[in-house]
Amino acid sequence: MGICNVCPRACKVFRKNSINDKGQVGYCRLGYLPVVSRAALHHWEEPCISGTKGAGTVFFAGCNLSCVYCQNYEISELRKGKEISVERLKEIYHELIARGAHNIDLVTPTHFTHAIYQSLNEELPVPVVYNCGGYESRSAVAFLRKKIQIWLPDLKYSDEEAARKYSRAPDYFNKATAAIEQMYRQTGPYEMGSDGLLKKGVLVRHLMLPSQWENTKGVLEYIAETFDKGQILFSLMRQYTPYGRASEFPEINRKITDEEYEQAQEYMEELGIEDGYVQQKESSSKQFIPLFDCSGVLQDDGGDI
């Protein structure tokens, strides 16, 4: 496949095809072939994604960010999953669609961009959701121009030091915002169906971190200053639960307080950000972390999450 520059890490290694091959890997520590941890109907995304039947979610192992607090630490850092072929990935899409999935929801897909591109060589009857950490290159987003209908990026950080400390990505804000703006150029304003499901567009997520108000404030200001009403959707998430290596960082080793979330909601309203979602306090629970047992990866076993 040649030198890998698919994400802003720009590792520039001759990345091997399979994890079983001899050769190099980059920051993600995986080859080009997808490693999948779970494929199932998922009911815990935003309502316009999950709908009533669920999103057809494919969880990929590995990540180009490695956030210290990741609630999917088991797969992002420990890389639990099964390596599959591009053909098997295509089969998974159709199995999920046959079970009623409203869309195909690709979670943490960045490092498998080339395999995903190949797997989408035929148009699917439902939208494809690119559910990513936001640390994308504009060129990779452009590469997927005709493959992705819904972009679901995080915008984790506006603060350079927080991005450096928790995700080893001091350039996160510049890279993520450039990618998000490219996503919007490709989809245009979001479109909802009569059933309340998102048909196309960009939905930006921000997971609030404890003790990081200035970081959240910067994200909200960017959204308000960059996009007009009706252009994108925004989701202010309070589901943060200390996980992974969060215990090594005392300032984030707790859940969000009511006061912290209310402050963000009030500022969101003050800035006029109206198109989108807020979360209930109950969302901050480990019970909402999927079981990464490789269900649906090698065969369709009808799992839901």
Side-chain angles (χ1 to χ4, degrees):
M1 296 290 291
I3 292 176
C4 186
N5 288 320
V6 73
C7 84
R9 299 284 180 194
C11 296
K12 297 180 181 178
V13 298
F14 285 94
R15 190 170 155 201
K16 60 186 181 180
N17 190 53
S18 168
I19 54 175
N20 299 312
D21 294 341
K22 292 182 179 180
Q24 295 177 302
V25 293
Y27 187 90
C28 67
R29 293 161 289 174
L30 291 168
Y32 278 109
L33 284 176
V35 178
V36 178
S37 306
R38 187 176 178 90
L41 296 179
H42 189 29
H43 301 279
W44 301 336
E45 306 285 29
E46 284 78 2
C48 66
I49 302 293
S50 288
T52 57
K53 298 179 181 178
T57 306
V58 181
F59 288 92
F60 294 97
C63 185
N64 70 332
L65 274 176
S66 302
C67 303
V68 298
Y69 49 81
C70 182
Q71 69 175 24
N72 294 345
Y73 189 85
E74 187 178 3
I75 63 173
S76 64
E77 279 296 285
L78 304 183
R79 302 181 298 286
K80 180 180 179 181
K82 298 289 186 182
E83 185 178 85
I84 61 173
S85 66
V86 171
E87 285 304 311
R88 175 57 193 150
L89 185 58
K90 291 169 67 173
E91 290 174 357
I92 288 173
Y93 300 161
H94 289 284
E95 289 166 2
L96 291 169
I97 292 167
R99 291 176 48 217
H102 294 302
N103 46 60
I104 294 300
D105 181 14
L106 307 174
V107 181
T108 322
T110 306
H111 46 303
F112 296 123
T113 293
H114 291 93
I116 287 167
Y117 182 91
Q118 294 170 16
S119 73
L120 295 171
N121 62 340
E122 297 176 2
E123 187 175 354
L124 296 176
V126 297
V128 179
V129 182
Y130 196 86
N131 184 342
C132 65
Y135 197 48
E136 312 294 318
S137 68
R138 279 190 299 181
S139 60
V141 174
F143 179 62
L144 294 168
R145 178 185 298 272
K146 296 183 179 180
K147 306 295 184 180
I148 306 298
Q149 291 75 50
I150 298 170
W151 295 92
L152 187 57
D154 291 333
L155 185 51
K156 297 176 184 291
Y157 307 109
S158 65
D159 181 77
E160 180 179 323
E161 183 53 35
R164 182 194 310 276
K165 186 174 185 179
Y166 305 130
S167 298
R168 290 186 285 179
D171 60 348
Y172 178 91
F173 183 70
N174 289 338
K175 298 296 185 182
T177 53
I180 287 168
E181 289 165 29
Q182 178 66 29
M183 294 170 189
Y184 177 73
R185 282 192 289 271
Q186 292 176 196
T187 67
Y190 70 88
E191 291 183 10
M192 292 282 199
S194 58
D195 53 4
L197 293 172
L198 187 59
K199 296 169 62 178
K200 77 175 186 75
V202 180
L203 195 170
V204 177
R205 289 170 160 173
H206 175 64
L207 176 66
M208 286 190 67
L209 299 176
S211 309
Q212 303 295 316
W213 164 242
E214 289 299 322
N215 182 59
T216 290
K217 183 172 180 285
V219 167
L220 293 174
E221 289 172 349
Y222 165 77
I223 294 295
E225 292 167 3
T226 307
F227 299 102
D228 295 329
K229 292 179 182 179
Q231 291 189 327
I232 70 165
L233 294 164
F234 180 75
S235 182
L236 182 66
M237 305 172 76
R238 71 168 297 170
Q239 69 187 49
Y240 178 82
T241 302
Y243 211 72
R245 294 172 47 219
S247 60
E248 299 174 23
F249 302 84
E251 71 278 10
I252 62 168
N253 193 31
R254 63 171 176 82
K255 295 183 179 182
I256 298 293
T257 65
D258 291 343
E259 291 75 18
E260 285 174 319
Y261 195 69
E262 288 167 7
Q263 181 182 24
Q265 277 189 279
E266 290 171 3
Y267 196 54
M268 187 173 162
E269 293 172 6
E270 181 182 329
L271 292 172
I273 301 172
E274 298 177 353
D275 298 334
Y277 303 92
V278 293
Q279 273 189 325
Q280 299 298 315
K281 184 176 182 178
E282 293 74 20
S283 64
S284 179
S285 171
K286 289 185 179 180
Q287 75 180 62
F288 294 111
I289 299 174
L291 181 63
F292 297 118
D293 58 359
C294 295
S295 294
V297 177
L298 300 182
Q299 62 181 6
D300 182 11
D301 52 16
D304 280 28
I305 45 178

